[in-house]
Amino acid sequence: MTIEISKSKNKYILILILICIFTCKLVNKVHANSTKDKGFNVLVLNSYHQGHIWETSIFNGLLSYIEKNNEEDINFNVEYLDFRNNYDNKYVKSLKSMLNEKYTKGSIDAIYTVDDEAYDVFSSEVLNKNSNFYKLPIIFSGVDNKATGMKEEKSYMAGIYHGDDSLNLINLIYDLNPNMKNINLIIEDSKYGNSVKYEIDRLIKTYLKEKVNIRYIKGNYIEDITSQLKKIKNSDNTVNIIAGEFQSISSKTYKSPKYTVDEIKKYSNAPIYSNDQTYMNAGIVGGHIDIGKELGEIACEMLVKLRKGVSIEDIKNTTEPIAKAYVDYKSIYKYNINPFFVDKDVNVMNKEIFEFLIPIWMKWLILIMVMVIIIVILVIIKIVTKRRKIKEKELEEKQKALEREKLKSDFIVNLSHELRTPINIILGTTRVLECSANKEINSDYLLEKIENINKNSYRLLKISNNIIDITKAESGMFKLKLEKCNIVSVIENIFESSLYFAKRKNIKMIFDTKEEEINTAIDVFQIQRVILNLISNAIKFTYENGNINLSMWTEAENIIIEVEDDGEGIPSDKLNYIFYRFYQVENLYTRKNEGSGIGLCIVKEIVEIHGGKIEIESEVNKGSKFRVYLPLNLEKDIPDYESLSIIDNTQTVNLEMSDI
Ligand code: ADP
């Protein structure tokens, strides 16, 4: 009865596992080729759970080899044997019989055992006549080369032996921590954990016997590990080595590597190392880089050979490629490890391109040196630019001085010409009068000669007045005599007085104002000079039968007076210069009109002393438009303007028009 019950219980478990494996098979079957019957079927036996990082990367290696070499007809049947959680005889036995049920004789062509647990369990199947896997070739990886087996058994197997990565890890750790006294070996409670323990133990005993003391921290749960770590008091000169994966008691799930490392860090301030690729970038100092994919590719190459008919006995065993050591850049500084201890072959992870693996003091030194160099460069740049600026300024000043010199000499030439012309005329006229002294002289003839003398004397007077005013303006001595007046009638008066001069050239002059009365304070005499200058220029540079318009109006707080002619105009490249002292557009020997080139300069000075401005628009052969802006000045304590007598006004007009 009892036997019956146990049998039915076993049957029940068997069915359950069968269902489970069958479901697994559906999920995990990977075809390199979709036609299962034609292909080469490989049973891939993973020792651990699905998602185990190391085994996943080995499997990726298989796939990558297939893809790279276009080996299309290989099918992978993947099984996860979960030996971490179950490894007793009962489980192993039922697992074998389940796999026998699942994979019928002839459905599998080769087996690939990914880690040593799977190898240990299935290597014996090759000589088991009752097994569906009887005499099937086995490719293995992760197996210790000391693993024993019967000679006959071994003739059905080939693969990749486990490398000496523990020795490499101890070398890396000892390089970086030459004062290491203690190792906390944190391992999972599994065959893998035990093999790491065995290896490290052996190495320390062989090479670092009295120097280093190992403390074993073993368990499958993080809580177990941390409670053991808590008990270790002195963690000076200690390093932690971690191997395996850990679950949490509460959730019974494998925790992420980062979580595990963070938990360990809470109870131990010693640097953490690991050869498990899982822990790369999880906050440990270093270890060896993932070679799972490389391993998978080597294993796949062996499987492909089998597929191509090479006998398993002709496939040579090999050893895992040596994994490259790596260190985490930031952790080196965090754990005060001397960066110079990092061998040049070691890969430095998480280092920015502009960062260097050198001691902190050296970084500071370099920083200071770089700063000093930058400062020196900046100072040099500043000195050079300053010198260049000084040179440029000197050059500019030299040029200005040359220009000034040229203007001066032009002025002297102009002036002597300007002076000589009226003086010659006056002298000529007086000589004529002298000669006619004893003759009877017609009064009209006499008046004409006297007017000639007057006009040329005015011309001389205008030149000397202008020179005095310019000198005064330059030294700030030009003072205004402000008077309140109706500026419209002042301008209109001046306009009327100049009609006579325009008429001589048959030029039509129009005065136009929008307002009859605009009261403001101005220096009447100086503003009259301004307007007369503009009108005299307009008459001078307008052809016979031309037109001159004088208009005025107020706009905002300004009085605007505009003198427009349709004369010869000014080239645009000369416009900027006409207000310069002694500047004339035409040169002395080709010009058609008289003048000293200081009229507009004085006009500008007078307008600006009044707080106004002058603008010009001109086009060659179309005419010119001068616009004077004077601010409305309504200050109270300014005396009223008393109109000058006509004679005085005529004198001013004659003076300003003397060079027409
Ligand atoms: P100038 O005593 O020679 O007239 P200004 O300073 O009054 O000296 O004028 C400077 C130069 O500006 C003139 O020589 C002339 O070339 C030019 N200019 C002034 N007003 C006019 C105008 N209305 N039309 C054409 N050119 C003018």
Side-chain angles (χ1 to χ4, degrees):
M1 189 66 182
T2 332
I3 295 166
E4 286 243 351
I5 290 168
S6 116
K7 261 189 185 170
S8 69
K9 199 180 167 191
N10 274 348
K11 218 177 188 178
Y12 177 65
I13 296 169
L14 205 78
I15 291 164
L16 255 177
I17 296 176
L18 254 172
I19 294 167
C20 191
I21 291 179
F22 184 69
T23 330
C24 258
K25 188 179 172 191
L26 282 181
V27 175
N28 298 320
K29 194 161 171 65
V30 179
H31 295 277
N33 183 345
S34 53
T35 47
K36 180 199 164 207
D37 293 336
K38 281 185 189 168
F40 184 76
N41 293 309
V42 178
L43 177 60
V44 180
L45 297 175
N46 288 292
S47 303
Y48 308 120
H49 52 277
Q50 192 166 9
H52 186 274
I53 294 177
W54 168 250
E55 291 186 334
T56 307
S57 66
I58 289 178
F59 190 66
N60 286 336
L62 294 179
L63 296 182
S64 109
Y65 185 89
I66 293 284
E67 205 183 302
K68 267 193 246 165
N69 297 284
N70 244 347
E71 300 292 349
E72 284 184 345
D73 59 352
I74 292 189
N75 306 318
F76 294 117
N77 300 271
V78 186
E79 298 293 347
Y80 299 95
L81 308 182
D82 201 16
F83 285 139
R84 238 183 211 152
N85 289 319
N86 315 284
Y87 199 53
D88 53 27
N89 283 338
K90 211 167 145 195
Y91 175 76
V92 168
K93 213 173 149 196
S94 56
L95 190 71
K96 277 185 184 175
S97 66
M98 292 317 107
L99 287 173
N100 267 291
E101 287 286 332
K102 191 174 172 184
Y103 299 101
T104 52
K105 223 175 186 99
S107 67
I108 294 296
D109 301 301
I111 295 175
Y112 171 38
T113 58
V114 177
D115 263 312
D116 51 358
E117 284 95 335
Y119 170 84
D120 288 351
V121 170
F122 279 87
S123 54
S124 56
E125 289 296 281
V126 287
L127 295 181
N128 179 1
K129 282 187 184 148
N130 300 323
S131 168
N132 288 346
F133 309 118
Y134 179 57
K135 292 199 172 173
L136 272 187
I138 294 184
I139 299 294
F140 58 80
S141 62
V143 171
D144 200 316
N145 63 0
K146 287 169 287 303
T148 48
M150 291 189 301
K151 206 164 176 263
E152 198 192 346
E153 204 178 80
K154 283 212 162 175
S155 61
Y156 293 99
M157 293 166 200
I160 311 147
Y161 286 120
H162 195 48
D164 217 352
D165 53 358
S166 296
L167 177 63
N168 296 332
L169 183 67
I170 294 295
N171 275 335
L172 174 74
I173 295 173
Y174 208 60
D175 276 352
L176 302 186
N177 308 272
N179 299 324
M180 167 176 76
K181 294 272 178 300
N182 303 301
I183 291 177
N184 293 337
L185 186 59
I186 303 165
I187 44 172
E188 64 176 29
D189 193 1
S190 69
K191 189 167 191 289
Y192 166 65
N194 286 335
S195 75
V196 173
K197 176 178 176 289
Y198 170 80
E199 270 300 302
I200 303 272
D201 221 14
R202 184 179 63 81
L203 290 167
I204 299 295
K205 276 184 187 137
T206 318
Y207 301 109
L208 299 165
K209 213 172 186 176
E210 268 132 40
K211 288 187 191 155
V212 177
N213 160 46
I214 308 187
R215 297 184 287 224
Y216 303 105
I217 297 164
K218 195 169 171 185
N220 279 333
Y221 297 103
I222 292 175
E223 291 85 345
D224 281 352
I225 301 293
T226 49
S227 75
Q228 291 173 66
L229 272 174
K230 233 187 275 180
K231 286 179 200 145
I232 298 169
K233 290 204 175 76
N234 183 10
S235 56
D236 289 348
N237 297 327
T238 300
V239 299
N240 293 312
I241 296 177
I242 182 168
E245 287 176 62
F246 304 90
Q247 300 179 45
S248 121
I249 292 179
S250 49
S251 65
K252 292 275 184 301
T253 53
Y254 284 100
K255 294 307 251 180
S256 74
K258 172 124 191 17
Y259 177 87
T260 310
V261 169
D262 287 347
E263 282 301 297
I264 292 171
K265 280 181 179 172
K266 279 184 195 163
Y267 303 99
S268 165
N269 55 9
I272 306 170
Y273 294 86
S274 178
N275 259 357
D276 288 7
Q277 54 168 4
T278 322
Y279 290 100
M280 196 158 121
N281 278 330
I284 64 167
V285 176
H288 286 86
I289 286 173
D290 170 17
I291 50 156
K293 198 172 165 208
E294 241 177 289
L295 209 65
E297 287 181 349
I298 300 170
C300 196
E301 194 185 346
M302 292 178 170
L303 289 165
V304 168
K305 277 186 185 160
L306 287 179
R307 163 68 183 144
K308 289 184 175 158
V310 176
S311 154
I312 185 86
E313 285 168 63
D314 293 333
I315 296 177
K316 283 207 175 78
N317 291 333
T318 178
T319 310
E320 277 174 13
I322 295 169
K324 232 182 168 212
Y326 74 87
V327 290
D328 175 66
Y329 177 77
K330 289 192 179 70
S331 301
I332 292 287
Y333 294 99
K334 193 173 165 212
Y335 291 102
N336 273 330
I337 295 167
N338 186 341
F340 286 152
F341 292 166
V342 178
D343 199 272
K344 61 178 184 325
D345 291 337
V346 172
N347 274 36
V348 181
M349 321 269 292
N350 303 321
K351 184 175 80 64
E352 300 294 336
I353 201 141
F354 51 83
E355 290 176 321
F356 300 97
L357 195 63
I358 46 173
I360 296 279
W361 63 265
M362 202 178 259
K363 284 190 179 188
W364 278 108
L365 191 76
I366 290 174
L367 193 77
I368 290 168
M369 274 164 64
V370 168
M371 276 166 69
V372 168
I373 290 171
I374 290 174
I375 290 171
V376 168
I377 290 173
L378 286 177
V379 169
I380 290 174
I381 290 174
K382 199 151 184 213
I383 290 173
V384 169
T385 41
K386 206 174 168 186
R387 278 198 189 156
R388 211 180 42 209
K389 267 187 192 160
I390 291 172
K391 265 198 179 152
E392 275 171 9
K393 213 173 168 188
E394 275 173 9
L395 208 80
E396 206 177 300
E397 251 154 41
K398 226 179 189 174
Q399 237 153 6
K400 269 189 190 162
L402 277 174
E403 263 170 39
R404 266 201 303 271
E405 272 308 303
K406 190 180 175 300
L407 278 178
K408 237 185 227 170
S409 59
D410 280 359
F411 170 65
I412 291 167
V413 175
N414 274 343
L415 192 65
S416 39
H417 172 85
E418 277 299 291
L419 292 174
R420 215 173 40 196
T421 314
I423 290 171
N424 278 342
I425 297 171
I426 293 170
L427 283 177
T429 318
T430 49
R431 199 162 300 134
V432 169
L433 286 176
E434 223 170 33
C435 292
S436 356
N438 298 327
K439 295 179 194 162
E440 219 174 84
I441 304 170
N442 176 307
S443 65
D444 283 349
Y445 176 79
L446 190 63
L447 278 174
E448 188 202 320
K449 296 295 167 206
I450 290 170
E451 195 196 329
N452 218 357
I453 293 170
N454 275 342
K455 185 183 162 189
N456 283 289
S457 307
Y458 279 135
R459 227 170 122 177
L460 288 174
L461 196 60
K462 181 182 175 184
I463 294 167
S464 75
N465 279 351
N466 280 349
I467 290 170
I468 290 166
D469 287 344
I470 269 263
T471 319
K472 272 189 187 170
E474 246 178 18
S475 58
M477 303 287 283
F478 197 104
K479 293 275 175 301
L480 294 180
K481 186 177 159 254
L482 291 177
E483 285 166 314
K484 264 188 217 152
C485 66
N486 174 10
I487 190 169
V488 179
S489 64
V490 169
I491 304 294
E492 199 174 0
N493 261 338
I494 284 298
F495 172 81
E496 273 162 13
S497 314
S498 43
L499 281 174
Y500 160 75
F501 298 93
K503 215 171 172 187
R504 289 202 310 207
K505 272 178 93 179
N506 232 350
I507 292 170
K508 195 171 157 201
M509 273 180 76
I510 297 174
F511 177 72
D512 177 29
T513 178
K514 287 185 183 152
E515 288 149 87
E516 284 306 319
E517 193 173 333
I518 305 168
N519 289 313
T520 184
I522 49 169
D523 184 325
V524 176
F525 175 66
Q526 300 301 349
I527 293 299
Q528 280 176 338
R529 277 179 80 191
V530 166
I531 304 304
L532 281 171
N533 247 297
L534 296 179
I535 295 176
S536 97
N537 275 345
I539 297 174
K540 262 201 280 184
F541 299 102
T542 298
Y543 311 111
E544 292 219 356
N545 303 321
N547 294 288
I548 295 171
N549 287 340
L550 196 159
S551 23
M552 61 187 298
W553 67 94
T554 51
E555 198 177 275
E557 294 297 295
N558 286 309
I559 305 151
I560 297 161
I561 307 156
E562 189 180 88
V563 179
E564 185 182 5
D565 65 61
D566 56 1
E568 60 189 64
I570 302 163
S572 56
D573 59 323
K574 308 269 164 69
L575 277 180
N576 282 339
Y577 300 100
I578 57 162
F579 293 103
Y580 283 16
R581 273 187 301 161
F582 318 127
Y583 184 83
Q584 290 175 313
V585 175
E586 295 280 343
N587 85 38
L588 174 63
Y589 304 104
T590 57
R591 71 184 189 203
K592 303 174 278 294
N593 296 297
E594 300 296 342
S596 56
I598 41 178
L600 282 180
C601 176
I602 291 206
V603 163
K604 189 167 178 272
E605 289 288 349
I606 295 171
V607 170
E608 282 174 1
I609 293 171
H610 272 85
K613 62 174 182 180
I614 181 160
E615 283 174 356
I616 176 171
E617 276 171 40
S618 187
E619 211 177 315
V620 175
N621 289 332
K622 288 255 168 77
S624 310
K625 196 191 275 179
F626 286 84
R627 195 174 275 184
V628 172
Y629 293 76
L630 290 175
L632 270 168
N633 187 346
L634 302 170
E635 268 179 58
K636 277 185 190 146
D637 301 328
I638 295 176
D640 285 333
Y641 168 65
E642 283 170 29
S643 262
L644 288 173
S645 64
I646 303 274
I647 296 165
D648 287 343
N649 213 354
T650 314
Q651 240 183 7
T652 314
V653 175
N654 284 340
L655 191 76
E656 295 302 333
M657 299 291 186
S658 57
D659 54 3
I660 292 181

